[in-house]
């Protein structure tokens, strides 16, 4: 198991390196951001670009880039959006907001989602189950910006309970801030709740019909006991990795929701970097999103092995 | 002995004979009707009520997106500069006073002065913007030492009528054409000019044609409570001769235009001017207008048409690439499988937004925005399809019929595409029905975020419409509402339909029901 995990981590690092290299070369192939004419910083920027190897072969540039990242954690200097500021610094200013909003969302939606899923599974083939399954299907299908619209229109405009946009400032743990984050948190939650409801329901219905459940009932356990002690534990083999996955996904924020509610997070930074052609920021967010995706899938895969002793990872049959 | 062995291949035909040519088989004949796999699947699909409903809705939405852009009187390039983010309005329905499609907007706390302003528009153009007074509140105010009752109203106004008159600068030729059109149709477009010196030097309100008491434009009423017209009669500033319809009460002295450096400045009733500009058609917007002044109904059709065609195209390409890639992976296995798997691992690790951006930055200049958007989808889109095909190939390649075909000497490609692939077809096609909504969703998100702007190519897209609508959520909720409803319905019905298909085609559920 340990060896397998190590192998997977090494493999992941390799994939990350290759993707970074590809994106890096593609980004560097683009003409670098032009400086405003007569800008006093022109010489400094030119010198810096020279040091980053802008006129050398791409692989040399990539070497310099990696060296900077690994030795000094220097991801470059923003040359458009936040002129002259350290990219990593900007990034870490933005990160907490994304994490907090998404964390609220999943802390709120995972219990609800799992609860509804269990409820639907226990009431299998009754109207409750059909209702929940249909609702889940519908909620999963509808894009998140539609929820954002509904919430903004009903709660922020018609009822006036919530603010339209997130409050500016860095006081992330005050009540005002929490309220101003609520629309975004709610918009994000719909999909997560529905996702967990579906997974839990699907797993639990399958477990509930298995033979060991019948055995458990036969030897005298009540339905509740059998469900909690036997069915739930088996069902969580699938649900828990999904929880881990969404906790890692928290880091990334959401491109669309952050834009709609003016959340100064990583997602917004990415979109701004793309639309403003700020390549150093774009490069950093690219690596970040790639890493998150890879780590999430790795954690999900490996956690199966840790949670369920029956699953032996990496063994040859 | 060896001789005989050699002759096995050359046994004369007449030496063969049927073993049981005349013998009767006592096996019971199969008397049920033969049913093909697809017919069977269709039967099961039809049992799934929600999927059937979804299929019908889907058909309706597809037909909507194909027919509307062609049948609509509006083109996506028809952009009105003033009817921007206006609510839904259809003249014929609005006349019925049903409270729908009447272009109405609720204005709260309107005082007497603004009620007179509405009245001014109604009296001059003959089109009353006030549909109804929803609510009247009475307040007692101290005015010049006395307690006076003041009324404030909440009214529902027709935004199309409310616009009233606007100033337009026309060339002499245009002015003559407009007059000719007026004579021909009998619709009054041009209204007499009002000089700003007569209305307390107000220059930015073309709807004032009556005497005002202050610079805010409050009307001055005569003894009978009527508005007092202040139309200009100064012939010396008239821009061009006017030989057309005159408004009631005009004795021929009012001037209808003023000179303005080689052209004329006129006051036109915008509603009628719109009819003049649009071949006599009244403004009629079933869903209202967008923030660009396009007809939202047409715009949704145009956007959806692009989304659907694009999604089908992407799915078809991804299906082909994925099927071939997965077939090679699954059939050859071993080293080939491993190498190809690593390649798809790497490609699938790149976030979609990054792929789209890089393709836009590199290729949009060379091959256009839409093709580079398509490439972005194709680059990573086939991976799930390949994985699916690979799984199916692993499942089927060891089976007896494949071995039999191999024994008979079938080539690799024949085995792959003639023998194994058709068995995997059902699963692949049904997953395609679930890939299409995914593509539409990503496409909508990317255009919503403005990372890709396909408006030049396709006119508009649902994502663009929604991001425009989102900017005016409070003032024009319809601009967000209809695209939201459309995209939600499309996604829901596609997913329900796809799930139904998958259940119907999935052989593992065969015979489970009943």
């Amino acid at each position: 198991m340990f060896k397998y995990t190590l192998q997977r981590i090494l493999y992941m690092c390799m994939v990350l390196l290759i993707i970074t290299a590809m994106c890096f070369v593609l980004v560097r192939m683009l003409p670098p951001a032009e400086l405003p004419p007569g800008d006093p910083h022109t010489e400094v920027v030119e010198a810096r670009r020279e040091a980053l190897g802008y006129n050398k072969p791409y692989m040399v540039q990539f070497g310099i880039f990696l060296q900077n990242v690994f030795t000094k954690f220097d991801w470059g200097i923003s040359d458009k959006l936040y002129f002259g500021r350290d990219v990593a610094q900007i990034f870490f200013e933005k990160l907490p907001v994304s994490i907090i909003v998404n964390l609220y969302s999943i802390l709120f939606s995972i219990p609800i989602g799992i609860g509804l899923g269990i409820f639907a599974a226990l009431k299998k083939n009754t109207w409750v189950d059909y209702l929940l399954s249909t609702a889940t299907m519908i909620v999963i299908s509808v894009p998140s910006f539609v929820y954002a619209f509904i919430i903004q229109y009903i709660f922020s405009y018609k009822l006036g309970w919530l603010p339209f946009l997130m409050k500016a400032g860095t006081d992330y743990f005050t009540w005002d801030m929490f309220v101003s984050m609520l629309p975004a948190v709610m918009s994000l939650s719909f999909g997560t709740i529905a996702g967990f409801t579906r997974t839990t329901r699907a797993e639990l219905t399958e477990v509930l019909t298995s033979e060991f459940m019948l055995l458990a009932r036969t030897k005298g356990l009540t339905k509740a006991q059998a469900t909690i002690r036997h069915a739930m534990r088996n069902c969580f083999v699938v649900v828990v990795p999904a929880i881990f996955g969404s906790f890692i996904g928290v880091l990334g924020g959401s491109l669309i929701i952050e834009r709609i509610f003016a959340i100064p997070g990583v997602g917004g930074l990415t979109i701004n970097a793309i639309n403003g052609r700020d390549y150093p920021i774009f490069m950093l967010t690219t690596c970040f999103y790639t890493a998150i995706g890879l780590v999430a899938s790795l954690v999900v895969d490996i956690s199966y092995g840790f949670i369920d002793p029956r699953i032996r990872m990496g063994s040859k049959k | 002995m060896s001789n005989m062995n050699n002759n096995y291949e050359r046994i004369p035909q007449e030496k063969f004979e049927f073993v049981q040519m005349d013998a009767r088989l006592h096996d019971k004949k199969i008397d049920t009707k033969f049913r093909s796999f697809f017919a069977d699947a269709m039967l099961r699909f039809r049992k799934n009520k929600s999927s059937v409903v979804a299929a019908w809705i889907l058909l309706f939405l597809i037909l909507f997106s194909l027919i509307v852009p062609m049948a609509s009187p509006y083109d996506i390039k028809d952009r009105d500069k003033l009817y921007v983010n206006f609510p839904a309005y259809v003249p014929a329905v609005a006349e019925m006073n049903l409270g729908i499609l009447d272009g109405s907007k609720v204005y709260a706390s309107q005082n007497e002065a603004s009620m007179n302003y509405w009245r001014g528009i109604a009296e001059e153009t003959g089109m009353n913007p006030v549909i109804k007074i929803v609510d009247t509140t009475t307040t007692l105010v101290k005015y010049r030492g006395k307690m006076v009752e003041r009324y404030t109203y909440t009214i529902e106004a027709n935004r199309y009528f409310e616009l009233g008159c606007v100033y337009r600068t026309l060339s002499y030729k245009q002015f003559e054409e407009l007059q000719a059109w007026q004579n021909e149709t009998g619709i009054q477009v041009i209204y007499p000019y009002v000089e700003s010196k007569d209305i307390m030097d107000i220059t930015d309100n073309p709807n004032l044609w009556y005497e005002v008491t202050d610079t805010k434009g409050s009307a001055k009423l005569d003894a009978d409570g009527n508005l007092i017209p202040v139309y200009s009669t100064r012939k010396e500033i008239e821009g061009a001769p006017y030989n057309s319809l005159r408004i009631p009460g005009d004795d021929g002295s009012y001037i209808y235009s003023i000179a303005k450096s080689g052209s004329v400045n006129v006051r036109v009733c915008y509603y009628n001017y719109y009819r003049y500009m649009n071949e006599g058609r009244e403004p009629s917007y079933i869903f209202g207008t967008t923030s660009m002044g396009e007809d939202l109904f047409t715009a949704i059709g145009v956007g959806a048409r692009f989304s659907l065609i694009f999604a089908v195209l992407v799915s078809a390409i991804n299906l082909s690439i994925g099927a071939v890639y997965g077939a090679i992976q699954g059939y050859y296995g071993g080293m080939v499988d491993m190498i190809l798997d690593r390649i798809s691992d790497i490609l699938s690790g790149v976030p979609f937004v990054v792929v789209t951006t890089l393709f836009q930055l590199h290729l949009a200049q060379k091959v256009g925005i839409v093709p580079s958007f398509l490439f972005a989808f194709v680059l990573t889109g086939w991976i799930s399809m390949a994985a699916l095909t690979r799984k199916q190939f692993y499942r089927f390649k060891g089976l007896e019929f494949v071995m039999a075909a191999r024994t008979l000497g079938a080539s690799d490609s024949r085995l792959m595409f003639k023998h194994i692939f058709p068995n995997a077809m059902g699963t692949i096609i049904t997953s395609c029905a679930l890939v299409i909504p995914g593509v539409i969703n990503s496409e909508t998100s990317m255009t919503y975020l403005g990372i890709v702007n396909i408006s030049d190519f396709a006119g508009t897209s649902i994502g663009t419409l929604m991001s425009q609508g989102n900017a005016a959520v409070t003032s024009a909720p319809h601009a967000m509402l209809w695209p939201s409803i459309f995209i939600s319905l499309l996604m829901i019905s596609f997913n329900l339909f796809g799930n139904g298909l998958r259940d119907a085609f999935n052989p593992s559920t065969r015979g489970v029901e009943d």
Side-chain angles (χ1 to χ4, degrees):
Chain A
M1 191 67 206
F2 175 72
K3 198 181 155 202
Y4 174 73
T5 312
L6 205 67
Q7 267 177 356
R8 283 293 305 264
I9 292 175
L10 280 177
Y11 176 57
M12 188 197 80
C13 291
M14 228 172 69
V15 171
L16 182 62
L17 193 72
I18 294 171
I19 293 175
T20 313
M22 281 187 334
C23 294
F24 180 84
V25 171
L26 284 171
V27 168
R28 280 289 162 91
M29 274 162 74
L30 296 161
E34 275 176 35
L35 298 170
D39 191 275
H41 309 294
T42 310
E43 270 179 35
V44 185
V45 176
E46 292 290 334
R48 193 184 153 78
R49 283 188 183 158
E50 190 61 42
L52 289 175
Y54 264 77
N55 300 320
K56 299 199 178 90
Y58 291 123
M59 276 301 126
V60 178
Q61 294 186 29
F62 186 58
I64 298 173
F65 172 76
L66 283 186
Q67 195 187 4
N68 281 339
V69 167
F70 281 117
T71 54
K72 295 178 281 187
F73 205 71
D74 175 12
W75 290 81
I77 302 264
S78 166
D79 48 13
K80 270 272 181 68
L81 283 181
Y82 303 86
F83 190 81
R85 284 194 55 198
D86 184 33
V87 168
Q89 198 191 336
I90 302 167
F91 179 78
F92 285 111
E93 275 170 22
K94 304 272 180 191
L95 196 56
V97 192
S98 289
I99 294 180
I100 290 166
V101 171
N102 280 272
L103 203 60
Y104 280 142
S105 159
I106 63 167
L107 287 179
F108 169 67
S109 40
I110 288 178
I112 296 180
I114 294 177
L116 286 176
I118 294 172
F119 189 59
L122 292 178
K123 301 270 176 195
K124 198 189 169 206
N125 291 337
T126 62
W127 65 271
V128 182
D129 178 36
Y130 293 137
L131 186 77
L132 275 176
S133 302
T134 316
T136 308
M137 184 70 226
I138 290 173
V139 169
I140 283 183
S141 308
V142 173
S144 59
F145 35 84
V146 174
Y147 297 123
F149 161 63
I150 296 171
I151 287 165
Q152 269 194 336
Y153 189 71
I154 295 179
F155 292 103
S156 308
Y157 176 58
K158 282 284 170 192
L159 300 173
W161 292 350
L162 301 170
F164 268 94
L165 303 175
M166 193 178 135
K167 200 164 80 75
T170 49
D171 48 336
Y172 298 128
F173 297 103
T174 57
W175 177 248
D176 279 357
M177 194 52 124
F178 178 71
V179 171
S180 76
M181 281 174 180
L182 263 184
V185 171
M186 283 158 72
S187 314
L188 285 169
S189 299
F190 280 102
T192 323
I193 292 177
F196 273 98
T197 306
R198 188 159 76 171
T199 319
T200 314
R201 185 199 166 269
E203 276 310 307
L204 197 57
T205 43
E206 208 171 306
V207 176
L208 282 176
T209 50
S210 51
E211 280 165 359
F212 66 79
M213 282 300 290
L214 190 66
L215 176 70
R217 292 300 302 279
T218 328
K219 71 180 189 191
L221 267 64
T222 63
K223 195 177 177 194
Q225 282 174 323
T227 309
I228 292 167
R229 289 190 201 160
H230 295 282
M232 291 299 283
R233 291 177 74 163
N234 277 290
C235 145
F236 273 26
V237 170
V238 173
V239 176
V240 170
I243 296 177
F244 286 154
S246 43
F247 266 99
I248 293 168
V250 156
L251 291 167
S254 157
L255 299 177
I256 291 175
I257 296 298
E258 290 197 1
R259 185 185 160 102
I260 294 177
F261 295 105
I263 298 169
V266 182
L269 183 70
T270 312
I271 299 297
N272 288 341
I274 291 171
N275 289 337
R277 306 270 185 274
D278 195 311
Y279 300 131
I281 297 181
F282 177 65
M283 203 53 229
L284 172 56
T285 52
T286 299
C287 295
F288 178 66
Y289 278 115
T290 312
I292 284 180
L294 292 174
V295 171
S297 67
L298 177 73
V299 168
V300 169
D301 278 0
I302 289 179
S303 58
Y304 277 117
F306 281 107
I307 292 162
D308 191 351
R310 288 170 300 182
I311 299 172
R312 293 265 166 266
M313 289 289 183
S315 62
K316 303 251 189 281
K317 287 224 173 120
Chain B
M1 276 307 273
S2 65
N3 245 358
M4 283 202 40
N5 274 346
N6 284 346
N7 282 338
Y8 269 148
E9 284 179 19
R10 274 183 293 256
I11 303 169
Q13 203 176 357
E14 60 271 16
K15 284 207 172 174
F16 285 100
E17 67 175 48
F18 285 101
V19 180
Q20 44 167 9
M21 195 61 168
D22 303 316
R24 252 187 83 223
L25 287 173
H26 295 279
D27 191 12
K28 193 169 177 261
K29 241 178 104 184
I30 301 168
D31 52 5
T32 50
K33 222 171 83 190
F34 172 74
R35 201 198 283 155
S36 77
F37 177 60
F38 280 88
D40 194 33
M42 277 320 290
L43 209 70
R44 248 172 302 137
F45 179 76
R46 253 185 252 123
K47 269 192 192 154
N48 193 342
K49 285 286 172 291
S50 62
S51 300
V52 176
V53 173
W56 282 111
I57 297 176
L58 196 59
L59 187 71
F60 169 75
L61 293 176
I62 292 171
L63 286 180
F64 176 93
S65 64
L66 293 180
I67 293 171
V68 163
M70 284 190 280
S72 163
Y74 294 98
D75 191 83
I76 192 67
K77 291 187 192 74
D78 290 340
R79 290 179 173 177
D80 198 273
K81 288 200 180 60
L82 291 181
Y83 289 159
V84 166
N85 268 340
F86 270 32
Y89 173 68
V90 175
V93 181
E95 275 164 26
M96 289 188 265
N97 276 327
L98 298 174
I100 50 161
L101 297 173
D102 52 5
S104 70
K105 184 182 178 184
V106 174
Y107 287 90
S109 53
Q110 301 289 307
N111 58 13
E112 285 296 340
S114 39
M115 288 310 278
N116 278 330
Y117 173 75
W118 303 114
R119 185 176 143 203
I121 297 171
E123 276 182 26
E124 186 178 39
T125 62
M127 290 178 275
N128 190 357
V130 180
I131 298 167
K132 64 176 177 209
I133 294 168
V134 183
D135 192 27
T136 314
T137 43
T138 320
T139 43
L140 282 170
V141 194
K142 204 166 189 181
Y143 181 69
R144 287 184 185 166
K146 276 187 282 182
M147 293 305 279
V148 193
E149 278 193 350
R150 282 287 157 86
Y151 301 100
T152 45
Y153 306 92
T154 304
I155 59 160
E156 238 180 76
N158 182 331
R159 291 208 70 188
Y160 294 82
F161 292 169
E162 172 218 338
L163 208 54
C165 288
V166 293
Y167 291 121
R168 278 286 173 271
T169 304
L170 306 175
S171 70
Y172 292 116
K173 192 162 169 288
Q174 285 170 330
F175 189 51
E176 271 166 33
E177 280 168 4
L178 184 51
Q179 288 183 39
W181 189 81
Q182 277 197 136
N183 292 336
E184 193 188 310
T185 56
I187 299 168
Q188 184 91 40
V189 179
I190 313 169
Y191 282 84
Y193 208 81
V194 177
E195 283 180 79
S196 58
K197 70 175 175 57
D198 297 327
I199 47 172
M200 309 286 278
D201 293 321
I202 299 169
T203 51
D204 56 355
N205 195 343
N207 276 318
L208 300 179
W209 53 275
Y210 40 80
E211 218 169 301
V212 292
T213 55
D214 55 23
T215 48
K216 277 184 280 178
S218 310
K220 186 177 173 184
L221 303 176
D222 65 8
D224 302 330
N226 290 324
L227 300 164
I228 310 155
V230 286
Y231 294 123
S232 174
T233 52
R234 283 206 297 155
K235 281 285 179 210
E236 62 268 28
I237 59 164
E238 185 165 15
Y242 184 75
N243 308 305
S244 183
L245 302 179
R246 289 179 176 271
I247 61 161
D250 183 6
D251 52 4
S253 62
Y254 294 164
I255 61 164
Y256 283 77
S257 62
I258 60 161
K260 196 181 180 186
S261 57
S263 50
V264 291
N265 200 9
V266 290
R267 256 179 91 228
V268 291
C269 167
Y270 194 73
Y271 192 88
N272 289 338
Y273 186 67
Y274 180 94
R275 296 179 72 178
Y276 165 66
M277 297 299 283
N278 291 282
E279 294 127 21
R281 216 171 46 221
E282 283 182 71
S284 167
Y285 299 105
I286 299 175
F287 285 174
T289 62
T290 69
S291 64
M292 309 290 283
E294 300 149 347
D295 175 26
L296 187 56
F297 190 68
T298 314
I300 289 177
V302 169
R305 182 178 62 180
F306 173 81
S307 295
L308 284 170
I309 294 174
F310 188 75
V312 169
L313 194 65
V314 167
S315 308
I317 296 174
N318 284 344
L319 180 80
S320 322
I321 298 179
V324 173
Y325 197 94
I328 293 171
Q329 268 189 309
Y331 183 78
Y332 290 105
M335 202 58 188
V336 177
D337 184 18
M338 208 191 78
I339 292 169
L340 292 183
D341 212 33
R342 294 294 170 269
I343 295 175
S344 59
D345 261 3
I346 289 168
L347 285 179
S348 66
V350 192
F352 182 65
V353 60
V354 173
V355 177
T356 317
T357 311
L358 286 175
F359 269 94
Q360 287 297 316
L361 291 175
H362 277 279
L363 286 176
Q365 300 285 325
K366 289 170 201 143
V367 297
I369 290 169
V370 175
S372 44
F373 197 22
L374 185 82
F375 290 153
F377 271 103
V378 169
L379 185 75
T380 52
W382 53 266
I383 291 170
S384 57
M385 200 63 84
L388 200 75
T389 320
R390 173 174 175 265
K391 211 164 78 188
Q392 296 294 321
F393 263 70
Y394 267 114
R395 192 171 135 201
F396 287 112
K397 75 172 177 185
L399 292 189
E400 289 80 359
F401 69 91
V402 181
M403 285 182 193
R406 195 197 300 275
T407 319
L408 288 172
S411 68
D412 278 352
S413 65
R414 193 180 163 80
L415 276 178
M416 277 155 80
F417 294 105
K418 206 82 188 173
H419 294 279
I420 307 179
F421 195 70
N423 285 290
M425 209 60 192
T427 330
I428 292 167
I429 287 182
T430 45
S431 77
C432 193
L434 289 169
V435 166
I436 292 177
V439 173
I440 296 179
N441 198 4
S442 311
E443 184 256 336
T444 312
S445 305
M446 289 299 136
T447 48
Y448 184 91
L449 290 170
I451 293 174
V452 180
N453 187 358
I454 53 162
S455 292
D456 290 337
F457 175 83
T460 188
S461 77
I462 302 275
T464 313
L465 285 177
M466 292 183 82
S467 85
Q468 287 166 356
N470 200 53
V473 163
T474 53
S475 60
H478 71 273
M480 187 74 188
L481 178 71
W482 292 111
S484 301
I485 289 179
F486 189 92
I487 194 81
S488 306
L489 261 187
L490 191 69
M491 290 318 223
I492 293 167
S493 49
F494 247 125
N495 282 332
L496 278 178
F497 174 72
N499 280 347
L501 265 193
R502 192 190 52 198
D503 292 347
F505 274 99
N506 193 351
S508 65
T509 62
R510 269 188 111 172
V512 168
E513 346 157 75
D514 300 331

